[in-house]
Amino acid sequence: MSYPGSNKKRKPVMMIHGGAWAMPDKMVEDTKKGIKDAALAGYRTLRDGRSAVDAVEAAIVSLENNPNFDAGNGSVLTADGKVEMDAMIMDGSTLNAGSVGCVNNIANPIKLARMVMEKTDHVLFVGEGANRFAHEMGVPQVSTDSLIGEYAKEEWERFSSGEYASCVSTMFKRRDVKQSGHDTVGAVAVDADGNVACGTSTGGITFKKPGRVGDTPLVGCGGYADNKTGAVSTTGHGEGMIKVCLAKHVTVLMDQGSTAQEASVKAVESLNDRVQSSGGVIVVSKDGDIGQYFTTDRMARAWVKDDRVFYGVETDDIISCPV
């Protein structure tokens, strides 16, 4: 279903992010390859004539399966050494959405979020209920060890030893504080029918309190999609994004006349101005225009448009090549 007046075929656009945070130099090259691969996975789905929702899921699955990213198989550990993952997906043609919070022992939370959207009358399942729903849907269980990599284990050990104790409560202030964890992954897309979709997935924040849920699975905070305006996925300090409903804020600005890029800058800057938090957004408008902006050290992002792929982690290091 397309928003009224949008029945003209469009050129599909795919955009993804791999988190806004203080990414170590040693992770940059593997991260660039991962975001390029994920963007292409989503774009090929669109080029095959499938929906924006399909493309968002395909791109995020690629990121969840890559241990370089904090989602799925690259999750980090809570204060008690466990994994708690969150994810959401939203269809801009219907405003239907599905989310899961504090889910564990599954490889791809974004798939479970889509099951919530398409197979229930609800939007958000958390904790034991989310895991029970996964079991009811026949989602295979995986071991916790398979969801965490060496970087996550090393970082948890540093927190446990007290090395980062002084910055646990302030790690997401603007640019001058070391950020911990890989943060989130996300995707936005517009398909040939003019429908948009978004999705966001995270493996959490290192040493977070058990049960803590950030912006990722919350509609309007971690992501939002509406064929009337466009689609947004966010990344950064979840508590701050919840307070300003960052993703929805971007779409409101677009509805008021801002371009995707203008809305990205205004919304993320207001995140700092209002609640002194940092982060980033990726945006695709209903017409296929893109926006991106971040106030952290780096933000991994990639997009495919007009059969060219663009990707990078710095503000000005974007690489471009044909698909």
Side-chain angles (χ1 to χ4, degrees):
M1 173 178 135
S2 296
Y3 192 76
S6 64
N7 53 4
K8 181 181 178 182
K9 290 293 181 181
R10 310 284 181 87
K11 288 186 177 181
V13 178
M14 186 79 230
M15 191 172 196
I16 66 102
H17 72 74
W21 63 298
M23 184 191 307
D25 291 344
K26 65 182 180 180
M27 295 183 68
V28 168
E29 291 309 311
D30 286 342
T31 296
K32 285 182 178 179
K33 182 181 185 306
I35 57 176
K36 178 184 177 183
D37 290 347
L40 288 173
Y43 186 69
R44 290 182 184 118
T45 302
L46 293 171
R47 198 167 57 181
D48 288 344
R50 296 169 64 189
S51 71
V53 171
D54 290 333
V56 163
E57 180 183 348
I60 293 180
V61 165
S62 177
L63 293 165
E64 289 178 336
N65 289 344
N66 188 329
N68 287 295
F69 300 97
D70 180 10
N73 290 278
S75 295
V76 297
L77 295 167
T78 66
D80 59 2
K82 296 181 180 179
V83 170
E84 293 181 348
M85 302 174 289
D86 309 326
M88 69 85 69
I89 194 166
M90 187 169 185
D91 182 346
S93 67
T94 60
L95 302 188
N96 288 337
S99 304
V100 291
C102 294
V103 67
N104 52 53
N105 298 112
I106 65 170
N108 298 115
I110 193 66
K111 290 186 177 182
L112 187 60
R114 185 171 182 177
M115 291 176 187
V116 173
M117 178 175 72
E118 296 182 342
K119 298 182 182 299
T120 80
D121 295 325
H122 307 300
V123 173
L124 174 61
F125 286 154
V126 300
E128 180 183 348
N131 288 300
R132 184 182 304 169
F133 177 67
H135 179 72
E136 292 170 356
M137 292 294 103
V139 177
Q141 285 203 341
V142 299
S143 68
T144 297
D145 286 345
S146 72
L147 298 173
I148 56 176
E150 287 305 312
Y151 182 89
K153 294 175 184 177
E154 292 170 3
E155 190 171 57
W156 188 83
E157 291 293 340
R158 287 194 289 269
F159 270 94
S160 297
S161 68
E163 184 177 336
Y164 290 164
S166 64
C167 66
V168 171
S169 64
T170 58
M171 65 177 72
F172 291 104
K173 300 302 181 183
R174 203 171 166 92
R175 294 185 179 92
D176 56 340
V177 177
K178 177 181 177 63
Q179 281 186 235
S180 165
H182 306 43
D183 203 61
T184 59
V185 304
V188 293
V190 56
D191 61 31
D193 292 323
N195 297 315
V196 302
C198 74
T200 311
S201 180
T202 184
I205 298 174
T206 298
F207 225 71
K208 71 165 188 165
K209 289 184 178 296
R212 176 267 184 188
V213 174
D215 64 301
T216 295
L218 304 183
V219 174
C221 301
Y224 198 76
D226 185 347
N227 276 17
K228 185 180 177 183
T229 49
V232 184
S233 177
T234 69
T235 170
H237 181 205
E239 279 71 15
M241 293 178 177
I242 292 170
K243 293 173 185 177
V244 300
C245 298
L246 185 65
K248 180 61 176 175
H249 186 190
V250 173
T251 64
V252 168
L253 290 168
M254 293 167 68
D255 195 38
Q256 293 173 345
S258 293
T259 65
Q261 183 59 30
E262 290 168 346
S264 299
V265 174
K266 290 176 184 176
V268 176
E269 286 295 336
S270 74
L271 178 68
N272 178 69
D273 294 341
R274 295 300 307 276
V275 294
Q276 295 74 56
S277 294
S278 65
V281 298
I282 56 168
V283 184
V284 63
S285 78
K286 63 181 180 179
D287 298 316
D289 295 325
I290 67 163
Q292 55 177 305
Y293 188 67
F294 59 98
T295 53
T296 52
D297 288 352
R298 287 167 166 157
M299 182 173 78
R301 72 266 190 223
W303 63 97
V304 190
K305 185 174 182 179
D306 296 327
D307 289 323
R308 291 192 68 85
V309 59
F310 304 80
Y311 59 101
V313 301
E314 309 280 0
T315 302
D316 56 359
D317 74 334
I318 299 299
I319 301 166
S320 170
C321 60
V323 171

